Amino acid sequence: MLVIKNGKIATASEIFEADIGIEDGKIVAIARDLKGEEVIDAGGKIVMPGMIDGHTHMAMPFMGTFSSDDFETGTKAAAFGGVTTIINFAIQEKGKGLKDAIEVEDSKAKGKAFIDYAFHVAITDMREDVLAEIPEVMKNGVTSFKLFMTYEGLMVTDDVLLEVLDVVTKNGGLVGVHAENYYIIKFLTKRLLAEGKTDPIYHAYSRPNCCEEEAVNRACIITQIVNGRLYVVHLSTAEGLERIEEFQKRGVRVYAETCPQYLLLDEELYKEPDFGGAKYVMSPPLRREKDRRALWDGIRRGTIQLIGSDHCPFFMEQKEMGKDDFTKIPNGAPGVETTLPLLFSEGVVKGRITLNRLVEVFSTNPAKLYGMYPKKGTIAIGSDADIVILDPKKEVTLSVDMLHQNVDYTPYEGWKVKGYPVVTIVRGKVVCEEGEFYGEKGYGEFVPRKEAIDLW
Ligand code: URP
Ligand code: ZN
Ligand code: ZN
Protein backbone atom coordinates (compact mmCIF):
# COMPACT_ATOMS: atom_id res chain seq x y z
CA MET A 1 0.00 0.00 0.00
CA LEU A 2 1.11 3.58 -0.74
CA VAL A 3 0.43 5.84 2.23
CA ILE A 4 0.29 9.63 2.25
CA LYS A 5 1.09 10.52 5.86
CA ASN A 6 0.66 13.52 8.11
CA GLY A 7 -1.09 15.77 5.61
CA LYS A 8 -3.98 18.13 6.10
CA ILE A 9 -6.74 16.76 3.88
CA ALA A 10 -9.00 19.33 2.22
CA THR A 11 -12.18 18.34 0.43
CA ALA A 12 -15.06 20.55 -0.69
CA SER A 13 -16.63 20.34 2.76
CA GLU A 14 -13.98 19.38 5.32
CA ILE A 15 -10.42 19.95 6.45
CA PHE A 16 -8.94 17.27 8.70
CA GLU A 17 -5.70 15.50 9.50
CA ALA A 18 -5.37 11.87 8.45
CA ASP A 19 -3.30 9.47 6.37
CA ILE A 20 -4.53 8.10 3.06
CA GLY A 21 -3.95 4.50 1.97
CA ILE A 22 -3.85 3.70 -1.74
CA GLU A 23 -4.01 0.33 -3.45
CA ASP A 24 -4.64 -0.60 -7.10
CA GLY A 25 -5.22 3.02 -8.03
CA LYS A 26 -7.98 3.54 -5.47
CA ILE A 27 -8.24 5.13 -2.05
CA VAL A 28 -8.68 2.20 0.35
CA ALA A 29 -8.17 3.81 3.77
CA ILE A 30 -8.43 7.21 5.42
CA ALA A 31 -7.27 6.99 9.03
CA ARG A 32 -4.53 7.93 11.47
CA ASP A 33 -1.25 6.00 11.69
CA LEU A 34 -1.58 3.94 8.52
CA LYS A 35 1.38 1.75 7.62
CA GLY A 36 2.48 1.05 4.07
CA GLU A 37 5.39 -0.24 2.01
CA GLU A 38 5.66 3.14 0.32
CA VAL A 39 5.22 6.39 2.20
CA ILE A 40 4.92 10.01 1.10
CA ASP A 41 5.34 12.43 3.98
CA ALA A 42 2.88 15.29 3.56
CA GLY A 43 3.67 16.93 6.91
CA GLY A 44 2.90 20.66 6.76
CA LYS A 45 1.22 20.22 3.36
CA ILE A 46 -2.33 20.25 2.05
CA VAL A 47 -3.70 17.09 0.44
CA MET A 48 -6.54 17.63 -2.01
CA PRO A 49 -8.39 15.62 -4.65
CA GLY A 50 -6.67 16.05 -8.02
CA MET A 51 -7.89 19.09 -9.90
CA ILE A 52 -10.21 18.60 -12.87
CA ASP A 53 -9.66 21.12 -15.61
CA GLY A 54 -12.91 20.91 -17.53
CA HIS A 55 -11.83 23.40 -20.18
CA THR A 56 -8.79 22.65 -22.34
CA HIS A 57 -7.98 22.82 -26.03
CA MET A 58 -5.07 20.50 -26.85
CA ALA A 59 -3.92 20.41 -30.48
CA MET A 60 -7.09 22.13 -31.58
CA PRO A 61 -7.41 23.35 -35.17
CA PHE A 62 -8.44 26.99 -34.77
CA MET A 63 -8.23 30.23 -36.73
CA GLY A 64 -5.92 28.78 -39.38
CA THR A 65 -3.49 27.09 -36.99
CA PHE A 66 -3.36 24.57 -34.11
CA SER A 67 -3.11 25.23 -30.37
CA SER A 68 0.47 24.41 -29.47
CA ASP A 69 0.08 21.90 -26.65
CA ASP A 70 -0.94 18.38 -27.59
CA PHE A 71 -2.08 15.63 -25.22
CA GLU A 72 1.53 14.76 -24.40
CA THR A 73 2.96 18.19 -23.61
CA GLY A 74 -0.32 19.54 -22.30
CA THR A 75 -1.05 16.74 -19.84
CA LYS A 76 2.54 16.83 -18.56
CA ALA A 77 2.15 20.55 -17.87
CA ALA A 78 -1.26 19.89 -16.31
CA ALA A 79 0.27 17.30 -13.93
CA PHE A 80 2.90 19.80 -12.78
CA GLY A 81 0.02 22.14 -12.05
CA GLY A 82 -1.83 19.61 -9.87
CA VAL A 83 -4.40 18.65 -12.51
CA THR A 84 -5.19 14.94 -12.75
CA THR A 85 -8.02 14.99 -15.33
CA ILE A 86 -8.71 17.28 -18.26
CA ILE A 87 -11.81 17.55 -20.38
CA ASN A 88 -10.79 18.57 -23.85
CA PHE A 89 -12.97 19.95 -26.61
CA ALA A 90 -13.51 17.71 -29.63
CA ILE A 91 -14.71 19.92 -32.46
CA GLN A 92 -17.16 18.48 -34.98
CA GLU A 93 -15.92 19.02 -38.53
CA LYS A 94 -18.47 20.31 -41.04
CA GLY A 95 -20.09 17.44 -42.89
CA LYS A 96 -18.93 14.90 -40.31
CA GLY A 97 -20.63 13.49 -37.25
CA LEU A 98 -20.12 13.65 -33.51
CA LYS A 99 -18.69 10.13 -33.32
CA ASP A 100 -16.16 11.17 -35.97
CA ALA A 101 -15.11 14.12 -33.80
CA ILE A 102 -14.68 11.82 -30.80
CA GLU A 103 -12.66 9.33 -32.86
CA VAL A 104 -10.32 12.09 -34.02
CA GLU A 105 -9.89 13.35 -30.47
CA ASP A 106 -9.38 9.84 -29.16
CA SER A 107 -6.58 9.24 -31.66
CA LYS A 108 -4.89 12.44 -30.49
CA ALA A 109 -5.09 11.43 -26.84
CA LYS A 110 -4.59 7.67 -26.77
CA GLY A 111 -1.03 6.61 -26.03
CA LYS A 112 -0.02 10.19 -25.28
CA ALA A 113 -1.73 11.43 -22.16
CA PHE A 114 0.03 11.32 -18.77
CA ILE A 115 -3.18 12.03 -16.85
CA ASP A 116 -6.81 11.04 -17.35
CA TYR A 117 -8.97 12.76 -19.90
CA ALA A 118 -12.49 13.06 -21.24
CA PHE A 119 -14.09 15.01 -24.08
CA HIS A 120 -16.82 17.56 -24.56
CA VAL A 121 -18.07 17.68 -28.15
CA ALA A 122 -18.54 21.05 -29.80
CA ILE A 123 -21.44 20.75 -32.24
CA THR A 124 -20.81 23.00 -35.23
CA ASP A 125 -22.92 21.44 -37.98
CA MET A 126 -26.40 20.48 -36.82
CA ARG A 127 -28.34 18.03 -38.98
CA GLU A 128 -31.07 15.49 -38.20
CA ASP A 129 -28.52 12.66 -38.18
CA VAL A 130 -26.30 14.65 -35.80
CA LEU A 131 -29.18 15.24 -33.41
CA ALA A 132 -29.93 11.52 -33.51
CA GLU A 133 -26.32 10.74 -32.61
CA ILE A 134 -26.44 12.61 -29.30
CA PRO A 135 -28.03 9.88 -27.11
CA GLU A 136 -25.67 7.27 -28.52
CA VAL A 137 -22.59 9.40 -27.91
CA MET A 138 -23.81 10.00 -24.37
CA LYS A 139 -24.23 6.27 -23.75
CA ASN A 140 -20.57 5.93 -24.70
CA GLY A 141 -19.55 8.29 -21.92
CA VAL A 142 -19.40 11.67 -23.63
CA THR A 143 -22.12 13.52 -21.77
CA SER A 144 -21.32 17.20 -22.29
CA PHE A 145 -21.47 19.41 -25.36
CA LYS A 146 -20.42 22.90 -26.30
CA LEU A 147 -22.21 25.33 -28.57
CA PHE A 148 -20.50 28.46 -29.83
CA MET A 149 -22.76 31.49 -30.15
CA THR A 150 -20.01 33.29 -32.07
CA TYR A 151 -16.94 32.49 -34.26
CA GLU A 152 -17.45 32.21 -38.00
CA GLY A 153 -17.57 28.53 -38.97
CA LEU A 154 -18.23 27.25 -35.46
CA MET A 155 -21.27 29.18 -34.27
CA VAL A 156 -24.78 27.80 -34.16
CA THR A 157 -28.14 29.54 -34.22
CA ASP A 158 -30.80 29.62 -31.49
CA ASP A 159 -32.79 26.75 -32.98
CA VAL A 160 -29.75 24.52 -32.45
CA LEU A 161 -29.42 25.72 -28.86
CA LEU A 162 -33.04 24.74 -28.28
CA GLU A 163 -32.74 21.30 -29.89
CA VAL A 164 -29.43 20.37 -28.27
CA LEU A 165 -30.36 21.60 -24.80
CA ASP A 166 -33.60 19.67 -25.01
CA VAL A 167 -32.07 16.35 -26.10
CA VAL A 168 -28.92 16.52 -23.98
CA THR A 169 -30.79 17.45 -20.80
CA LYS A 170 -33.40 14.72 -21.34
CA ASN A 171 -30.51 12.26 -21.54
CA GLY A 172 -28.92 13.54 -18.32
CA GLY A 173 -26.14 15.65 -19.80
CA LEU A 174 -24.92 19.22 -19.82
CA VAL A 175 -24.56 21.86 -22.54
CA GLY A 176 -21.90 24.58 -22.37
CA VAL A 177 -22.23 27.78 -24.33
CA HIS A 178 -19.62 30.24 -25.49
CA ALA A 179 -21.87 33.22 -24.96
CA GLU A 180 -21.06 36.26 -27.09
CA ASN A 181 -23.32 38.08 -29.56
CA TYR A 182 -21.86 37.45 -33.01
CA TYR A 183 -23.64 40.32 -34.77
CA ILE A 184 -22.55 43.03 -32.34
CA ILE A 185 -18.95 41.82 -32.62
CA LYS A 186 -19.18 41.73 -36.42
CA PHE A 187 -20.63 45.24 -36.59
CA LEU A 188 -18.08 46.79 -34.21
CA THR A 189 -15.15 44.95 -35.81
CA LYS A 190 -16.08 46.22 -39.25
CA ARG A 191 -16.24 49.79 -37.96
CA LEU A 192 -12.93 49.55 -36.08
CA LEU A 193 -11.07 48.06 -39.02
CA ALA A 194 -12.52 50.70 -41.37
CA GLU A 195 -11.05 53.33 -39.02
CA GLY A 196 -7.65 51.62 -39.27
CA LYS A 197 -7.83 50.34 -35.68
CA THR A 198 -5.97 47.04 -35.95
CA ASP A 199 -4.01 46.68 -32.66
CA PRO A 200 -4.78 44.01 -30.01
CA ILE A 201 -6.65 46.48 -27.77
CA TYR A 202 -9.38 46.67 -30.40
CA HIS A 203 -10.06 42.99 -29.85
CA ALA A 204 -11.46 44.06 -26.46
CA TYR A 205 -13.27 47.10 -27.87
CA SER A 206 -14.96 44.93 -30.49
CA ARG A 207 -16.44 42.69 -27.78
CA PRO A 208 -17.87 44.93 -25.02
CA ASN A 209 -19.53 43.46 -21.93
CA CYS A 210 -22.99 43.70 -23.48
CA CYS A 211 -22.01 41.06 -26.07
CA GLU A 212 -21.68 38.53 -23.28
CA GLU A 213 -24.67 39.84 -21.36
CA GLU A 214 -27.01 39.53 -24.33
CA ALA A 215 -25.86 36.03 -25.28
CA VAL A 216 -25.98 34.79 -21.68
CA ASN A 217 -29.50 36.15 -21.32
CA ARG A 218 -30.62 34.48 -24.56
CA ALA A 219 -29.05 31.14 -23.63
CA CYS A 220 -30.74 31.29 -20.21
CA ILE A 221 -34.16 32.00 -21.72
CA ILE A 222 -33.72 29.11 -24.14
CA THR A 223 -32.71 26.88 -21.22
CA GLN A 224 -35.79 27.95 -19.31
CA ILE A 225 -38.05 27.08 -22.25
CA VAL A 226 -36.75 23.52 -22.57
CA ASN A 227 -36.09 23.03 -18.84
CA GLY A 228 -32.49 22.43 -19.80
CA ARG A 229 -29.18 22.16 -17.99
CA LEU A 230 -26.78 24.83 -19.17
CA TYR A 231 -23.37 26.04 -18.19
CA VAL A 232 -21.90 29.27 -19.42
CA VAL A 233 -18.22 28.69 -20.15
CA HIS A 234 -15.50 31.27 -19.45
CA LEU A 235 -17.82 33.87 -17.94
CA SER A 236 -16.03 37.24 -17.92
CA THR A 237 -18.44 40.04 -17.02
CA ALA A 238 -20.38 41.40 -14.06
CA GLU A 239 -23.40 41.83 -16.33
CA GLY A 240 -23.34 38.21 -17.52
CA LEU A 241 -23.09 37.11 -13.90
CA GLU A 242 -26.12 39.22 -12.95
CA ARG A 243 -28.21 37.61 -15.68
CA ILE A 244 -27.15 34.13 -14.56
CA GLU A 245 -28.03 34.89 -10.97
CA GLU A 246 -31.44 36.16 -12.02
CA PHE A 247 -32.21 32.89 -13.83
CA GLN A 248 -30.80 30.76 -11.01
CA LYS A 249 -33.24 32.53 -8.67
CA ARG A 250 -36.07 31.59 -11.03
CA GLY A 251 -35.03 27.95 -10.66
CA VAL A 252 -33.44 27.60 -14.09
CA ARG A 253 -30.51 25.17 -14.11
CA VAL A 254 -27.80 27.46 -15.32
CA TYR A 255 -24.28 26.98 -14.02
CA ALA A 256 -21.26 29.17 -14.67
CA GLU A 257 -17.56 28.65 -15.21
CA THR A 258 -14.94 31.35 -15.03
CA CYS A 259 -11.17 31.24 -15.53
CA PRO A 260 -8.14 32.74 -13.73
CA GLN A 261 -7.51 35.24 -16.53
CA TYR A 262 -10.92 36.86 -15.94
CA LEU A 263 -10.29 36.94 -12.20
CA LEU A 264 -6.79 38.37 -12.39
CA LEU A 265 -5.88 40.17 -15.62
CA ASP A 266 -6.96 43.59 -16.91
CA GLU A 267 -7.95 44.83 -20.34
CA GLU A 268 -5.10 47.40 -20.20
CA LEU A 269 -2.69 44.53 -20.91
CA TYR A 270 -3.78 44.64 -24.54
CA LYS A 271 -1.83 47.90 -24.79
CA GLU A 272 1.54 46.24 -24.04
CA PRO A 273 4.04 47.58 -26.58
CA ASP A 274 5.54 45.69 -29.53
CA PHE A 275 2.45 43.57 -30.11
CA GLY A 276 2.77 42.22 -26.53
CA GLY A 277 -0.97 42.67 -26.11
CA ALA A 278 -1.49 39.73 -28.49
CA LYS A 279 -0.52 37.38 -25.64
CA TYR A 280 -3.88 38.10 -24.02
CA VAL A 281 -6.07 37.92 -27.10
CA MET A 282 -8.75 35.44 -26.18
CA SER A 283 -12.52 35.42 -26.33
CA PRO A 284 -14.23 36.76 -24.40
CA PRO A 285 -11.53 39.39 -23.84
CA LEU A 286 -10.01 40.49 -20.55
CA ARG A 287 -12.20 42.94 -18.66
CA ARG A 288 -11.94 45.54 -15.88
CA GLU A 289 -11.67 45.70 -12.10
CA LYS A 290 -15.43 45.81 -11.48
CA ASP A 291 -15.86 42.58 -13.43
CA ARG A 292 -13.08 40.84 -11.52
CA ARG A 293 -14.59 41.90 -8.20
CA ALA A 294 -17.99 40.61 -9.30
CA LEU A 295 -16.57 37.26 -10.45
CA TRP A 296 -14.70 36.61 -7.18
CA ASP A 297 -17.89 37.50 -5.38
CA GLY A 298 -19.82 35.14 -7.67
CA ILE A 299 -17.52 32.27 -6.68
CA ARG A 300 -17.94 33.09 -3.00
CA ARG A 301 -21.72 33.34 -3.20
CA GLY A 302 -22.06 30.17 -5.28
CA THR A 303 -23.36 31.80 -8.47
CA ILE A 304 -20.22 30.49 -10.21
CA GLN A 305 -19.66 26.78 -9.65
CA LEU A 306 -16.73 25.91 -11.90
CA ILE A 307 -13.23 27.07 -12.68
CA GLY A 308 -11.49 25.93 -15.85
CA SER A 309 -8.33 27.22 -17.47
CA ASP A 310 -9.51 27.55 -21.11
CA HIS A 311 -5.97 26.44 -21.90
CA CYS A 312 -5.52 27.24 -25.59
CA PRO A 313 -1.89 28.25 -26.15
CA PHE A 314 -0.31 29.71 -29.27
CA PHE A 315 3.32 30.69 -29.76
CA MET A 316 3.96 34.37 -30.40
CA GLU A 317 4.92 33.42 -33.92
CA GLN A 318 1.38 32.12 -34.39
CA LYS A 319 -0.06 35.27 -32.80
CA GLU A 320 1.90 37.26 -35.42
CA MET A 321 -0.71 36.15 -37.99
CA GLY A 322 -2.68 39.10 -36.67
CA LYS A 323 0.13 41.67 -36.59
CA ASP A 324 -1.81 44.01 -38.89
CA ASP A 325 -5.34 42.91 -38.00
CA PHE A 326 -6.46 41.93 -34.49
CA THR A 327 -9.17 39.66 -35.92
CA LYS A 328 -6.48 37.32 -37.26
CA ILE A 329 -4.69 36.81 -33.93
CA PRO A 330 -5.45 33.21 -32.84
CA ASN A 331 -7.70 33.49 -29.79
CA GLY A 332 -6.45 31.76 -26.66
CA ALA A 333 -3.78 31.65 -23.98
CA PRO A 334 -2.01 29.05 -21.82
CA GLY A 335 -3.18 28.29 -18.29
CA VAL A 336 -3.51 24.58 -17.46
CA GLU A 337 -0.36 24.58 -15.32
CA THR A 338 -0.92 27.85 -13.46
CA THR A 339 -4.60 27.63 -12.51
CA LEU A 340 -4.20 25.85 -9.17
CA PRO A 341 -1.21 27.90 -7.91
CA LEU A 342 -2.97 31.14 -8.91
CA LEU A 343 -6.26 30.14 -7.31
CA PHE A 344 -4.50 29.13 -4.13
CA SER A 345 -2.25 32.16 -3.91
CA GLU A 346 -4.61 34.85 -5.21
CA GLY A 347 -7.75 33.18 -3.91
CA VAL A 348 -7.10 31.30 -0.67
CA VAL A 349 -3.98 33.09 0.63
CA LYS A 350 -5.47 36.50 -0.09
CA GLY A 351 -8.72 35.52 1.62
CA ARG A 352 -10.95 35.83 -1.44
CA ILE A 353 -12.13 32.21 -1.27
CA THR A 354 -11.77 29.40 1.24
CA LEU A 355 -9.69 26.31 0.63
CA ASN A 356 -12.89 24.22 0.58
CA ARG A 357 -14.36 26.45 -2.08
CA LEU A 358 -11.22 26.09 -4.19
CA VAL A 359 -11.53 22.29 -4.04
CA GLU A 360 -15.22 22.55 -4.80
CA VAL A 361 -14.95 24.74 -7.93
CA PHE A 362 -11.83 23.13 -9.40
CA SER A 363 -12.42 19.48 -8.52
CA THR A 364 -15.68 18.40 -6.86
CA ASN A 365 -18.18 20.45 -8.87
CA PRO A 366 -16.55 19.61 -12.23
CA ALA A 367 -16.68 15.93 -11.21
CA LYS A 368 -20.37 16.20 -10.30
CA LEU A 369 -21.57 18.28 -13.24
CA TYR A 370 -19.48 16.43 -15.81
CA GLY A 371 -20.63 13.04 -14.49
CA MET A 372 -17.44 11.67 -12.88
CA TYR A 373 -18.36 11.82 -9.19
CA PRO A 374 -17.41 10.13 -6.85
CA LYS A 375 -14.84 8.29 -8.99
CA LYS A 376 -13.12 11.67 -9.30
CA GLY A 377 -13.36 14.97 -7.43
CA THR A 378 -13.10 13.85 -3.83
CA ILE A 379 -11.01 12.03 -1.27
CA ALA A 380 -13.14 9.09 -0.20
CA ILE A 381 -12.79 5.34 0.10
CA GLY A 382 -13.37 3.79 -3.31
CA SER A 383 -12.57 6.94 -5.27
CA ASP A 384 -9.70 7.02 -7.74
CA ALA A 385 -6.48 7.94 -5.96
CA ASP A 386 -6.14 11.22 -7.87
CA ILE A 387 -4.42 13.45 -5.39
CA VAL A 388 -2.46 16.69 -5.33
CA ILE A 389 -0.23 17.67 -2.44
CA LEU A 390 0.32 21.39 -2.17
CA ASP A 391 3.02 23.06 -0.11
CA PRO A 392 1.36 26.21 1.27
CA LYS A 393 4.73 27.76 2.15
CA LYS A 394 6.45 27.28 -1.19
CA GLU A 395 7.01 30.59 -2.97
CA VAL A 396 7.44 30.55 -6.71
CA THR A 397 7.91 33.26 -9.30
CA LEU A 398 5.94 32.15 -12.33
CA SER A 399 7.91 32.31 -15.54
CA VAL A 400 7.84 30.67 -18.94
CA ASP A 401 11.22 29.10 -18.12
CA MET A 402 9.97 27.07 -15.17
CA LEU A 403 6.63 26.03 -16.68
CA HIS A 404 6.11 23.01 -18.92
CA GLN A 405 3.42 24.26 -21.28
CA ASN A 406 4.50 24.10 -24.93
CA VAL A 407 4.42 27.82 -25.59
CA ASP A 408 6.88 30.72 -25.36
CA TYR A 409 5.09 32.89 -22.81
CA THR A 410 2.84 32.89 -19.77
CA PRO A 411 0.36 35.71 -19.14
CA TYR A 412 1.61 35.57 -15.52
CA GLU A 413 5.32 36.17 -16.16
CA GLY A 414 6.93 37.44 -12.94
CA TRP A 415 3.88 36.81 -10.76
CA LYS A 416 4.88 35.68 -7.29
CA VAL A 417 2.69 32.93 -5.88
CA LYS A 418 2.64 31.46 -2.40
CA GLY A 419 1.66 27.80 -2.29
CA TYR A 420 2.54 25.35 -5.03
CA PRO A 421 1.63 21.76 -5.98
CA VAL A 422 4.57 19.51 -5.15
CA VAL A 423 3.18 16.00 -5.69
CA THR A 424 0.60 14.86 -8.24
CA ILE A 425 -0.80 11.34 -8.12
CA VAL A 426 -3.04 9.87 -10.80
CA ARG A 427 -4.87 6.64 -9.93
CA GLY A 428 -2.21 5.82 -7.39
CA LYS A 429 0.75 6.59 -9.63
CA VAL A 430 3.09 9.40 -8.63
CA VAL A 431 3.38 11.49 -11.77
CA CYS A 432 5.26 14.51 -10.37
CA GLU A 433 7.17 14.86 -7.11
CA GLU A 434 9.22 17.87 -6.02
CA GLY A 435 9.82 19.05 -9.58
CA GLU A 436 10.71 15.60 -10.94
CA PHE A 437 8.51 13.98 -13.54
CA TYR A 438 7.70 10.26 -13.33
CA GLY A 439 4.81 10.21 -15.81
CA GLU A 440 4.37 7.41 -18.32
CA LYS A 441 3.20 8.41 -21.74
CA GLY A 442 -0.12 6.69 -22.42
CA TYR A 443 -0.87 6.04 -18.73
CA GLY A 444 -3.75 8.54 -18.91
CA GLU A 445 -7.09 6.88 -19.53
CA PHE A 446 -10.30 8.01 -21.16
CA VAL A 447 -12.92 8.58 -18.47
CA PRO A 448 -16.38 7.49 -19.63
CA ARG A 449 -18.83 9.77 -17.90
CA LYS A 450 -22.32 9.34 -16.47
CA GLU A 451 -25.26 11.66 -15.95
CA ALA A 452 -24.64 15.10 -14.49
CA ILE A 453 -25.29 15.49 -10.77
CA ASP A 454 -27.17 18.74 -10.26
CA LEU A 455 -25.77 21.07 -7.60
CA TRP A 456 -29.18 22.22 -6.39
O1 URP B 1 -10.04 32.54 -26.89
C1 URP B 1 -10.38 31.42 -26.55
N1 URP B 1 -11.15 31.29 -25.50
N2 URP B 1 -9.96 30.37 -27.28
C2 URP B 1 -10.35 29.03 -27.13
C3 URP B 1 -11.67 28.75 -27.76
C4 URP B 1 -12.82 29.12 -26.87
O2 URP B 1 -13.63 29.94 -27.26
O3 URP B 1 -12.92 28.58 -25.77
ZN1 ZN C 1 -15.25 29.52 -25.92
ZN1 ZN D 1 -12.18 27.42 -24.58
Side-chain angles (χ1 to χ4, degrees), residues 55 57 89 146 234 310:
H55 193 151
H57 303 275
F89 286 93
K146 180 173 180 179
H234 48 47
D310 196 4

Side-chain angles (χ1 to χ4, degrees), residues 55 57 60 62 89 146 148 151 154 178 180 203 233-234 261-262 281-284 310-312 314 330-333:
H55 193 151
H57 303 275
M60 182 176 80
F62 193 47
F89 286 93
K146 180 173 180 179
F148 291 95
Y151 288 136
L154 295 178
H178 175 128
E180 288 188 293
H203 172 71
V233 309
H234 48 47
Q261 52 272 33
Y262 302 118
V281 169
M282 62 187 74
S283 294
D310 196 4
H311 179 76
C312 189
F314 297 100
N331 285 201

Side-chain angles (χ1 to χ4, degrees), residues 154-171:
L154 295 178
M155 64 183 280
V156 297
T157 41
D158 293 354
D159 51 340
V160 177
L161 280 172
L162 282 156
E163 300 256 42
V164 173
L165 266 157
D166 186 38
V167 174
V168 171
T169 309
K170 280 185 177 138
N171 284 276

